[in-house]
Amino acid sequence: MAIDKVVGSIEEAIADIKDGATIMFGGFTGMGVPAGLLIGIKNKGIKNLTVICNDGTGKWTSPIDVNMLVEAGQCKKIIASFVVLASPKQITATERKVLEGTLELESVPQGTLAERIRIGGAGIGGFYTPTGVGTLIEEGKEKRVIDGREMLLELPLRADFACIKAHKADKFGNLVYHGTARNFNPVMATAAKTVIAEVDEIVEIGELHYDFIHTPGIYVTRIVKSPGKVAGDLK
Amino acid sequence: MKQVWTREEMAQKVAARMKDGYYVNLGIGMPTIIPNYFSKDTTIVLQSESGTLGYGARAKPEDPNYDPDIGDAGSAPLLVKPGMSIIDSAACFAMMRGGHLDMTVLGALQVSEEGDLANWKMPTKKVGSMGGAMDLAAGAKTVVVMMEHALKDGTPKIVKKCTYPITGLKCVDVIVSELAVMEVTDKGIVVKEMAPGYTLADIQAVTEPQLIAA
């Protein structure tokens, strides 16, 4: 197979991300965060972004996460499960911007977020779940009793771009993750038009054993070598 | 003499409710000390929102096998344990939401008489984040709440109806506080065990709904 999806730099990897894009970012409390891509997008100053991610609280979990783009005023909307902290003393950039009226936040339960992304990548139009029944998130959602239990209809999430982090890639884009840095990265890889994988190591096609590939290359548009273990990416 | 339970004693009370072979998810904060009190004769398999099943103790940077890419829901690093597996977030939450976990232990801001749970958003904040709490509340077979019995000024946290934003309806089965172990039943909240020297009246004084003696 003569496919080579490797690009030479972060700048090249994000060259086609424009203002107004919807971007998914992998990562979970600092593990498996595509730190090089995040810094690249911040430095390029791309604006009016709609961001889909699990968490982003900045210094309280990881200095390099989506909080950085929110802080810089580059986001108009964020769809996430953990970007605001409970303590009145800990104010994230997301909380501050929402209060200022410059950012829209859609808080989604973590499992519902993962499943909405999964079905987005699987061509499924929606699912019913008991998660969130009787809470603030049921507002405006269709409710149905299934097997005697109230459930909410949740709809798929898709994006223009997914910026993900993997441990290893071959040049075709087959990916292998390491430890709990896997988290949201594999599902996000399936749910965006363009998938950019930042990886620690790039190997030749055939070097990854087919039995142990987590994300098959069909989902990956391009691969870029991570600029390194940036503080906060890996704690 | 009245003597409230310490956090360690509360953790022991929760650990005692886990049966051999239980699959358990522990919330961040207070519940993370529970594994210190697992009996040597029981196997409890821990699951975390970060995407791991069967993880070991918390790791320290000086541990020879320390790996910053293996962590729990609060991003605390974990030691690998033989038999541990890693799963992605969709599979991890399908495990919780599909009813495969025997128990979860969560913190709470309020619990109602009927077992409604409020633990994700302070009413004083305009916005909040629920993380995985709503999924665990809806999906685990048993929901145990481990919390301080009342606010510092004595305002009850166990209430008739939650006034704080809800995490899940009728989901809490057991409450362990520094004063008592309680079970939420169809008839109301039953006090199963009390801290040394405490009477039902003492506990009732800092609890809104009528408590039931075991």
Side-chain angles (χ1 to χ4, degrees):
Chain A
M1 207 183 299
I3 296 175
D4 186 349
K5 298 177 182 173
V6 179
V7 296
S9 68
I10 292 286
E11 291 69 29
E12 207 181 323
I14 62 168
D16 55 350
I17 305 183
K18 300 281 189 302
D19 288 359
T22 297
I23 313 179
M24 290 178 178
F25 288 100
F28 184 100
T29 63
M31 299 176 283
V33 174
L37 294 171
L38 265 165
I39 292 169
I41 290 167
K42 175 164 185 281
N43 291 345
K44 205 178 166 190
I46 310 170
K47 287 189 215 36
N48 289 320
L49 298 173
T50 296
V51 163
I52 302 167
C53 62
N54 178 59
D55 59 280
T57 60
K59 63 180 175 184
W60 286 288
T61 44
S62 151
I64 296 172
D65 64 18
V66 164
N67 187 71
M68 199 173 69
L69 300 181
V70 173
E71 188 80 72
Q74 290 170 270
C75 305
K76 65 172 180 197
K77 184 173 180 183
I78 180 162
I79 301 170
S81 92
F82 200 76
V83 286
V84 175
L85 295 159
S87 162
K89 289 184 196 125
Q90 299 175 331
I91 312 287
T92 60
T94 294
E95 181 173 0
R96 202 173 61 247
K97 301 271 177 181
V98 171
L99 295 177
E100 286 168 11
T102 55
L103 179 73
E104 189 190 337
L105 168 65
E106 182 181 342
S107 286
V108 184
Q110 209 163 102
T112 296
L113 181 69
E115 190 64 8
R116 286 178 67 190
I117 298 166
R118 195 192 72 78
I119 68 162
I124 295 167
F127 63 90
Y128 290 91
T129 175
T131 295
V133 168
T135 75
L136 289 174
I137 70 142
E138 73 168 37
E139 196 188 314
K141 286 175 187 156
E142 186 193 316
K143 216 193 250 184
R144 213 175 132 174
V145 176
I146 297 172
D147 287 339
R149 198 166 181 194
E150 275 194 310
M151 301 209 182
L152 301 178
L153 173 64
E154 295 284 358
L155 301 176
L157 282 172
R158 288 190 61 83
D160 301 318
F161 295 89
C163 291
I164 63 168
K165 172 76 202 312
H167 177 51
K168 260 188 200 183
D170 67 19
K171 290 178 174 174
F172 172 54
N174 289 314
L175 303 179
V176 174
Y177 306 90
H178 170 61
T180 46
R182 187 183 313 185
N183 58 68
F184 279 80
N185 290 298
V187 270
M188 287 180 173
T190 68
K193 284 181 218 145
T194 301
V195 175
I196 311 166
E198 176 178 340
V199 303
D200 298 322
E201 194 183 338
I202 300 168
V203 299
E204 293 301 325
I205 292 168
E207 285 186 44
L208 299 177
H209 193 281
Y210 52 83
D211 274 339
F212 300 101
I213 287 168
H214 299 129
T215 293
I218 185 172
Y219 295 116
V220 178
T221 316
R222 60 186 82 112
I223 305 151
V224 64
K225 176 98 165 53
S226 180
K229 299 213 168 188
V230 197
D233 168 23
L234 303 171
K235 293 171 50 144
Chain B
M1 203 185 73
K2 285 179 186 172
Q3 181 72 53
V4 299
W5 287 322
T6 61
R7 286 184 175 211
E8 290 70 26
E9 286 166 323
M10 288 164 66
Q12 282 173 37
K13 305 283 171 200
V14 178
R17 291 192 161 248
M18 295 178 188
K19 298 195 179 92
D20 191 27
Y22 259 29
Y23 293 92
V24 174
N25 180 296
L26 301 175
I28 53 176
M30 245 200 269
T32 54
I33 62 167
I34 294 168
N36 299 337
Y37 304 99
F38 290 160
S39 133
K40 294 270 178 289
D41 324 322
T42 58
T43 302
I44 307 294
V45 183
L46 297 175
Q47 193 251 22
S48 165
E49 289 97 313
S50 59
T52 169
L53 178 70
Y55 62 83
R58 283 206 166 181
K60 295 181 201 77
E62 57 271 27
D63 284 325
N65 297 323
Y66 175 80
D67 183 339
D69 271 347
I70 297 173
D72 70 8
S75 74
L78 298 171
L79 290 176
V80 173
K81 201 172 162 182
M84 183 180 99
S85 55
I86 300 285
I87 39 181
D88 69 55
S89 301
C92 180
F93 279 83
M95 196 181 277
M96 294 176 195
R97 290 151 64 111
H100 304 281
L101 296 184
D102 296 293
M103 186 184 283
T104 185
V105 187
L106 302 170
L109 299 167
Q110 287 182 328
V111 179
S112 85
E113 183 167 31
E114 290 196 305
D116 296 349
L117 171 67
N119 79 346
W120 72 281
K121 183 177 173 293
M122 299 289 288
T124 49
K125 285 212 178 194
K126 191 180 168 197
V127 288
S129 278
M130 68 289 282
M134 289 185 183
D135 306 290
L136 284 163
K141 284 182 197 151
T142 309
V143 175
V144 177
V145 160
M146 189 178 173
M147 67 171 191
E148 279 157 13
H149 198 95
L151 296 179
K152 287 199 173 63
D153 66 3
T155 306
K157 290 174 72 177
I158 302 170
V159 293
K160 286 183 181 160
K161 268 255 169 287
C162 292
T163 53
Y164 288 16
I166 293 289
T167 304
L169 297 175
K170 295 185 183 175
C171 57
V172 177
D173 300 287
V174 178
I175 308 166
V176 176
S177 77
E178 76 282 15
L179 300 181
V181 175
M182 295 149 282
E183 286 178 5
V184 181
T185 71
D186 293 343
K187 297 186 182 77
I189 295 174
V190 177
V191 179
K192 301 293 282 186
E193 196 184 344
M194 290 179 280
Y198 279 84
T199 65
L200 193 65
D202 294 330
I203 294 160
Q204 186 65 66
V206 284
T207 310
E208 194 181 73
Q210 188 65 48
L211 295 171
I212 301 167

